[in-house]
């Protein structure tokens, strides 16, 4: 779907819309193989329904239009007219519970996500604290493999980045009381274990400028993005809508993109500095 760039922004409002989400790490596909087949058409139909619902939520509010203008035309890490963004607004990590053998212990959010996203991941006490004695991982963004000897090279990524959440509506949460930024930071549904290189390449990009290289995972990524933005009532602009629509139309259905359709990866060098 091609949209007029001057159109009003899409925004998420009302109750959360849920749709089945096939887990890329705990679903039918093995986590150590990124050459996936696409998910079922039934899952795609639900995702399509999600986007159709969003299309009906067009809004022409001037403040929302301004946030969009800032996001896509004035990318400057030191200039944020939607409010003064500070990562510390979000960062208040809550300890999680991890299993070490038969014992349940408190662990960091990072270790919790890495253990969840691994295959055969087993924790043990090591000289540097908790570490993995077994396990294998595949970074879903770039397909890079990791093992128990190299797991420390994994980083944790917010699928919907903190800065993206801020300019898409989180800047007003303190006034509205609608959501808690600490809840957003700790939401495991928005967190993935990925390689450091892939995390840096993505930065704070939205799907207009960055998507995973794997067609199968690009589909999963788009669905997570939509689900999180819906859950936290975060705005989606026309460029995002178009990019997500293309992913669901092509990658989710295993259809090749025509020459007139933008490719799934739109790298933007400025994006990583947002």
């Amino acid at each position: 779907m091609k949209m007029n760039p001057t159109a009003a922004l899409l925004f998420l409002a009302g109750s959360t819309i849920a749709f089945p989400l096939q887990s890329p790490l705990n679903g039918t596909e093995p986590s150590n193989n990124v050459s996936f087949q696409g998910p079922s058409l039934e899952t795609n139909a639900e995702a399509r329904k999600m986007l159709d619902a969003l299309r009906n939520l067009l809004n022409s509010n001037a403040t929302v239009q301004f946030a969009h203008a800032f996001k896509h035309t004035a990318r400057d890490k030191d200039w944020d007219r939607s409010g003064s963004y500070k990562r510390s607004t979000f960062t208040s990590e809550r300890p999680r519970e991890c299993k070490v053998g038969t014992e349940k212990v408190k662990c960091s959010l990072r270790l919790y996500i890495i253990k969840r996203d691994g295959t055969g991941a087993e924790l043990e006490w090591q000289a540097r604290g908790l570490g993995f004695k077994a396990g294998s991982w595949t970074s879903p963004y770039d397909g890079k493999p990791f093992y128990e000897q190299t797991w420390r090279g994994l980083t944790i990524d917010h699928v919907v980045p903190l800065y993206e959440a801020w300019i898409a509506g989180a800047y007003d949460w303190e006034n509205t009381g609608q959501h808690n930024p600490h809840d957003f930071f700790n939401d495991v549904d928005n967190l993935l274990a990925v390689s450091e290189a892939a995390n840096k390449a993505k930065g704070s990009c939205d799907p207009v400028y960055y998507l995973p290289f794997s067609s199968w995972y690009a589909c999963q990524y788009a669905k997570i993005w939509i689900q999180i933005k819906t859950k936290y009532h975060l705005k989606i602009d026309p460029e995002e809508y178009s990019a997500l629509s293309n992913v669901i139309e092509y990658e989710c259905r295993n259809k090749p993109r025509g020459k007139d359709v933008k490719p799934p990866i739109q790298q933007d060098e400025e994006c990583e500095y947002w």
Side-chain angles (χ1 to χ4, degrees):
M1 176 180 177
K2 190 173 182 180
M3 298 185 67
N4 187 330
T6 60
L9 291 183
L10 271 168
F11 77 104
L12 301 163
S15 60
T16 298
I17 307 169
F19 62 95
L21 183 64
Q22 184 180 16
S23 169
L25 300 168
N26 300 310
T28 59
E29 300 293 345
S31 64
N32 60 352
N33 182 359
V34 293
S35 298
F36 303 118
Q37 296 297 314
S40 68
L41 290 178
E42 181 180 356
T43 301
N44 298 335
E46 292 298 323
R48 186 79 246 176
K49 190 184 300 182
M50 184 89 169
L51 282 179
D52 288 341
L54 297 183
R55 184 173 55 186
N56 295 325
L57 296 176
L58 284 171
N59 184 285
S60 59
N61 181 277
T63 302
V64 177
Q65 287 181 339
F66 179 84
H68 159 71
F70 164 73
K71 178 178 173 183
H72 284 289
T73 63
R75 289 185 231 115
D76 186 325
K77 63 179 180 179
D78 297 321
W79 181 57
D80 180 358
R81 288 190 183 176
S82 63
S84 180
Y85 168 73
K86 293 181 180 179
R87 184 180 174 85
S88 59
T89 301
F90 292 88
T91 50
S92 179
E93 184 177 321
R94 296 165 185 161
R96 308 291 299 193
E97 190 176 79
C98 291
K99 196 172 182 181
V100 182
T102 59
E103 181 186 9
K104 291 182 178 179
V105 302
K106 289 189 181 297
C107 63
S108 67
L109 183 61
R110 175 173 179 260
L111 278 179
Y112 177 86
I113 297 299
I114 292 176
K115 187 176 190 303
R116 181 201 67 181
D117 291 357
T119 298
E122 295 183 35
L123 282 165
E124 68 175 0
W125 290 105
Q126 299 175 349
R128 297 172 61 182
L130 279 176
F132 289 95
K133 67 176 182 179
S136 62
W137 296 261
T138 297
S139 170
Y141 291 177
D142 56 3
K144 185 176 180 180
F146 291 85
Y147 304 95
E148 63 268 23
Q149 302 92 338
T150 58
W151 70 269
R152 294 184 188 278
L154 287 164
T155 61
I156 303 306
D157 179 60
H158 287 85
V159 176
V160 176
L162 303 181
Y163 183 78
E164 168 68 25
W166 180 262
I167 62 174
Y171 63 85
D172 203 32
W173 286 351
E174 184 178 357
N175 295 326
T176 65
Q178 190 173 34
H179 296 287
N180 184 330
H182 298 163
D183 291 341
F184 185 88
F185 182 86
N186 288 276
D187 191 336
V188 297
D189 292 335
N190 190 38
L191 291 168
L192 292 173
V194 304
S195 73
E196 183 178 1
N199 199 343
K200 184 178 179 181
K202 174 191 166 182
S204 295
C205 292
D206 68 15
V208 177
Y209 300 104
Y210 180 87
L211 284 167
F213 83 96
S214 160
S215 293
W216 182 86
Y217 203 80
C219 177
Q220 303 307 308
Y221 183 90
K223 290 174 187 175
I224 295 171
W225 187 279
I226 296 167
Q227 184 170 312
I228 293 300
K229 282 223 164 180
T230 302
K231 180 178 181 178
Y232 289 96
H233 304 87
L234 298 171
K235 305 169 186 71
I236 286 183
D237 60 53
E239 285 85 352
E240 278 178 85
Y241 180 88
S242 180
L244 293 166
S245 295
N246 283 337
V247 172
I248 290 173
E249 179 64 27
Y250 295 96
E251 278 69 39
C252 289
R253 299 178 185 277
N254 290 323
K255 288 168 56 178
R257 294 190 176 215
K259 293 182 179 180
D260 59 333
V261 182
K262 290 183 179 180
I265 296 179
Q266 297 276 319
Q267 290 285 13
D268 186 310
E269 292 182 1
E270 293 183 37
C271 216
E272 66 181 275
Y273 300 111
W274 286 16

